[in-house]
Structure formats: structure tokens, C-alpha cells
Amino acid sequence: MRINRVQIKICGITNLEDARACAELGADMIGLNFYPRSSRYIEPQRAREMVKGIPRSVRAVGVFVDPTASEVRNAANAAGIECVQLHGDLSAETCRELAREFRVIRAFSTDGRFQPEDASRFSDCDILLDAHHAQLRGGTGLTCDWPTARATLPFARFLILSGGLNEQNVGHAIASVAPHAVDVCSGVESAPGVKDHRAIEKFIAAVRAPEPLVDRPA
């Protein structure tokens, strides 16, 4: 068995104060939303200020929905980020192309169309699993299908569990799925795009205790 520390991603960051708080409290990644229809949308140039304001040890992730490869490149380069999270109907070929330039997180919803084996077509990407919502892409507060997420683990080089996580359920989620990382957005907010720093602190503490390490097959 291989024992790993679960990484933490705080998504939907919209200001430098929240970005710095995430870094100081122990987050490994922050998510910056480049989807214009999202209530947490920020412009790439504004995101660049946040990227410069946090330690390089904290990875900034640009979040996109149904983008073209050129749109991803332009926004990511403008923001100064090296990791992109892709939602929507993007082909494995497009993701593979972008993976030559960025660390790519391919996001899927655990709806009836998704099968755990689908992740194997994206071997150049990390895999993020989120709850399904008919209109929204992330930040819904809905819980992901944990059994499906667990079944996806053998097909993913790095699995990120998202969807409805908070300080109360994240420990159970980790025990059930054994993901490489967990992703939280609305579970640590006082309003869309406004992070509650105390809630972030509690969430991170819940991930790290009582067992900050998880077992998964080598």
C-alpha cells in the first residue's frame, strides 16, 4: 500500500485577501474561475495579481468551461498560471495538446453518462469529479457520487474529489473515496466568491485530522 497526504484545493477565489488566507492556512491549491457566466468569475489580469501575491508552493488553477485550446492558453498565460481545470465537452485530443504546456485537470460530473473507465482516456490529465447540476459548473453545494468516485480511482493518475464538501463530511469522504486531493468552494463561503476564513481553517483541520494520510493501492 502507498500512503499519501491528501492535498487541499480551495476554489472560487476572487480576491487577494482570500488567496493569501488559503495559503497561510495550509491549502495546496487555489481555483480561479475564468468562466464568465459564473458568479465567481475573475478576469485573468486580476488573477495575475493573486498569483503573484501567494507563495509558489501554492498552485493556482485556472477553471474553464467549454473553452477552445487558444482561449485556455491566452487566459492562462495572461494570469501567469501553469495548471488548468477543464469542464465541458473537451476531447481527449484537446486535453492531451494542452497537457504538453500545462498541468491539466479534466473535470467530470458524476451523472448517469459518466463511467469510471472514461477517466482512462485522459491519462495525461488529473481527474476531478464533481456533482451534476443542469445549469451550474461547480460551486453548487451538491454532493458528488462517492461510490462512482471510488471506482474511478484505478483509472486516474491523480483524483480530486469535489462537490458538496465541508468540514462535517470531508473526513467521511476521504475515508470512502481515498482521493489524492479534495476540492471545496461553497462549503467555505459566506456568499458566492466571498470566503469565510474560519470555515477554511476548520475545513483544512478536518482534512488533516484525525488521520491526515490515506491508504490506496500502489
Side-chain angles (χ1 to χ4, degrees), residues 14-26:
T14 61
N15 60 77
L16 181 56
E17 180 184 3
D18 287 350
R20 285 176 170 164
C22 290
E24 292 169 0
L25 292 169

Side-chain angles (χ1 to χ4, degrees), residues 105-200:
I105 300 171
R106 181 64 169 93
F108 292 96
S109 298
T110 53
D111 57 14
R113 296 172 298 172
F114 175 77
Q115 298 297 319
E117 297 84 357
D118 293 343
S120 63
R121 296 189 295 112
F122 298 85
S123 59
D124 296 325
C125 307
D126 299 343
I127 300 296
L128 181 144
L129 295 185
D130 200 354
H132 173 69
H133 189 284
Q135 285 82 38
L136 302 178
R137 305 297 182 97
T140 65
L142 299 176
T143 303
C144 173
D145 183 335
W146 293 352
T148 296
R150 177 72 186 195
T152 305
L153 193 61
F155 302 100
R157 70 175 189 184
F158 188 93
L159 182 70
I160 304 172
L161 181 66
S162 187
L165 297 179
N166 53 54
E167 64 168 299
Q168 286 82 24
N169 67 10
V170 70
H172 183 42
I174 291 171
S176 299
V177 178
H180 299 90
V182 291
D183 181 306
V184 65
C185 184
S186 61
V188 292
E189 287 183 330
S190 56
V194 181
K195 300 305 182 193
D196 181 327
H197 296 184
R198 179 59 177 154
I200 293 173

Side-chain angles (χ1 to χ4, degrees), residues 41 49 66 99 106-107 162 175 204 209 215:
Y41 169 76
E49 298 174 4
D66 290 324
R106 181 64 169 93
S162 187
I204 292 175
D215 293 340

Side-chain angles (χ1 to χ4, degrees), residues 10 13 33 36 42 50-51 57 63 73 77 91 120 144 154-155 161-162 174 184 190 192 214 216:
I10 312 294
I13 302 300
N33 198 318
I42 58 172
M50 284 180 258
V51 173
S57 58
V63 179
R73 288 190 188 95
N77 290 332
S91 68
S120 63
C144 173
F155 302 100
L161 181 66
S162 187
I174 291 171
V184 65
S190 56
V214 297
R216 64 179 67 90

